[in-house]
């Protein structure tokens, strides 16, 4: 951008910043600054070399400041984007069954706020509709009572000389208004029932199936990282988790210690022995190697014995 373009941008941004001023003192101060700048711009446009150099340096400063602001803005946007990715909803592989509040949906973690608020709003509307339906029924009962009372007043009487009263609630418009109101609520209830009877689409089921497959892969990688000695957040949470109070009083102090080894990521040594006795599966079982014989040696020995037996049978 040229020198003139940089200065025009700066003047425009200052106008947008201060055009809302209502204080007489602040407005006067900014107008004096603006008129002083106008005199400088006029002198530079008339050929004043001094003010042209000043404006050139000023334009260079504005350009450097704008470049710094752009880089800072990009950095902040990237940080916001990274935070959004860190907390983005992921499919857990589960299904949210259809109900009167929601259609068939995949289970997401964390659940997006717009889905939560949709279900909350529909629940509030459903509860309010029940209240309105009860009020509508009461209005119909009141209408019937008023009509009955008017019919009693219209009965002829020999002793009464009062003029015949006019009927107000016999107008069918009252019924039409209440019936239309009830029909609208019935339609809303029907839409809820249709929503609860919706089926999972094949595309959604395929997405959930793929999410389950990815979850198994991720959990397997997570277990492998734990075996390699990496301490994850899940590892810390599991190791901090203790036994319930009623089990602590049952298993005693030794049982609490065994539980700590069972929840540790280690699979060798005493921890591995405790896990094997507890019936846990250990992927890389080193019990034979710890006894002095490696798994490879055991496999080679079995192959040699089978080969010897085969040769003995052939010789006989």
């Amino acid at each position: 951008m040229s020198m003139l373009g940089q200065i025009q941008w700066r003047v425009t941004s200052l106008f947008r910043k201060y055009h809302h001023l209502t204080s007489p003192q602040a407005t006067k101060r900014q107008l004096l600054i603006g008129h002083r700048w106008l005199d400088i711009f006029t002198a530079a446009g008339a050929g004043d070399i001094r003010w042209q150099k000043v404006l050139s340096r000023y334009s260079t400063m504005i350009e450097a400041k704008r470049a710094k602001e752009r880089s800072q803005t990009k950095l902040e946007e990237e940080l916001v984007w990274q935070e959004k990715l860190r907390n983005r909803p992921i499919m857990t592989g589960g299904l949210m069954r259809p109900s009167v509040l929601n259609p068939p949906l995949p289970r997401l973690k964390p659940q997006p706020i717009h889905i939560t608020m949709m279900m909350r709003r529909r629940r509030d509307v459903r509860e309010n509709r029940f209240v309105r339906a009860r009020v509508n029924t009461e209005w119909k009962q009141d209408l019937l009572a008023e009509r009955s009372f008017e019919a009693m007043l219209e009965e002829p009487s020999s002793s009464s000389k009062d003029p015949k009263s006019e009927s107000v609630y016999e107008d069918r418009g009252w019924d039409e208004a209440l019936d239309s109101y009830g029909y609208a609520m019935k339609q809303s209830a029907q839409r809820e029932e249709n929503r609860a009877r919706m089926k999972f689409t094949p595309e959604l089921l395929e997405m959930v199936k793929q999410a389950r497959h990815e979850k198994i892969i991720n959990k397997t990688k997570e277990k492998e990282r734990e075996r390699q000695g990496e301490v994850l957040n899940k590892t810390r949470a599991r190791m901090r988790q203790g036994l319930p109070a009623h089990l602590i009083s049952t298993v005693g102090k030794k049982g609490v210690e065994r539980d700590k080894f069972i929840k540790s990521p280690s699979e060798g040594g005493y921890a591995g022995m405790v896990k094997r006795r507890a019936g846990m599966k250990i992927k890389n079982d080193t019990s034979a190697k710890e006894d002095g014989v490696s798994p490879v040696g055991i496999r080679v020995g079995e192959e040699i014995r089978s080969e010897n037996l085969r040769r003995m049978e052939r010789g006989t």
Side-chain angles (χ1 to χ4, degrees), residues 105-149:
L105 293 172
R107 184 71 66 176
L108 301 176
K109 184 179 180 182
Q111 181 169 289
I113 187 63
H114 67 273
I115 295 180
T116 303
M117 298 308 296
M118 174 195 70
M119 298 172 65
R120 177 182 177 180
R121 180 180 177 278
R122 287 177 175 173
R123 184 178 63 249
D124 295 342
V125 170
R126 178 181 172 84
E127 293 176 354
N128 293 335
R129 190 178 67 249
F130 292 152
V131 176
R132 295 197 306 270
R134 185 170 60 251
V135 172
N136 192 53
T137 303
E138 293 176 355
W139 285 350
K140 287 185 177 181
Q141 294 174 355
D142 294 342
L143 181 60
L144 294 176
E146 290 293 339
R147 286 175 177 173
S148 176
F149 181 68

Side-chain angles (χ1 to χ4, degrees), residues 16-35:
R16 292 175 179 174
K17 181 178 181 180
Y18 294 116
H19 79 281
H20 66 281
L21 291 178
T22 57
S23 171
Q25 292 81 7
T27 304
K28 180 180 178 181
R29 183 167 57 253
Q30 295 301 327
L31 286 175
L32 291 175
I33 294 175
H35 281 285

Side-chain angles (χ1 to χ4, degrees), residues 1-145:
M1 187 179 293
S2 63
M3 177 185 70
L4 182 60
Q6 295 287 355
I7 295 177
Q8 285 180 346
W9 173 86
R10 179 59 178 169
V11 172
T12 303
S13 62
L14 288 175
F15 173 77
R16 292 175 179 174
K17 181 178 181 180
Y18 294 116
H19 79 281
H20 66 281
L21 291 178
T22 57
S23 171
Q25 292 81 7
T27 304
K28 180 180 178 181
R29 183 167 57 253
Q30 295 301 327
L31 286 175
L32 291 175
I33 294 175
H35 281 285
R36 187 165 64 250
W37 285 9
L38 180 60
D39 295 338
I40 294 174
F41 298 153
T42 304
D48 193 323
I49 303 300
R50 174 174 174 269
W51 286 119
Q52 288 180 356
K53 292 181 178 180
V54 170
L55 292 180
S56 178
R57 292 195 302 270
Y58 184 59
S59 176
T60 304
M61 183 188 68
I62 293 174
E63 185 177 2
K65 186 175 181 180
R66 292 185 68 186
K68 182 179 179 181
E69 290 293 335
R70 283 194 297 268
S71 61
Q72 184 66 23
T73 302
K74 290 182 179 180
L75 178 61
E76 292 176 356
E77 291 177 352
E78 183 64 24
L79 292 176
V80 171
W81 176 250
Q82 292 295 331
E83 184 66 20
K84 185 177 180 180
L85 290 180
R86 189 178 296 111
N87 299 321
R88 72 186 186 278
I90 60 174
M91 297 179 65
T92 64
L95 293 170
M96 187 181 297
R97 297 187 178 276
S99 66
V100 295
L101 303 179
N102 62 275
L105 293 172
R107 184 71 66 176
L108 301 176
K109 184 179 180 182
Q111 181 169 289
I113 187 63
H114 67 273
I115 295 180
T116 303
M117 298 308 296
M118 174 195 70
M119 298 172 65
R120 177 182 177 180
R121 180 180 177 278
R122 287 177 175 173
R123 184 178 63 249
D124 295 342
V125 170
R126 178 181 172 84
E127 293 176 354
N128 293 335
R129 190 178 67 249
F130 292 152
V131 176
R132 295 197 306 270
R134 185 170 60 251
V135 172
N136 192 53
T137 303
E138 293 176 355
W139 285 350
K140 287 185 177 181
Q141 294 174 355
D142 294 342
L143 181 60
L144 294 176

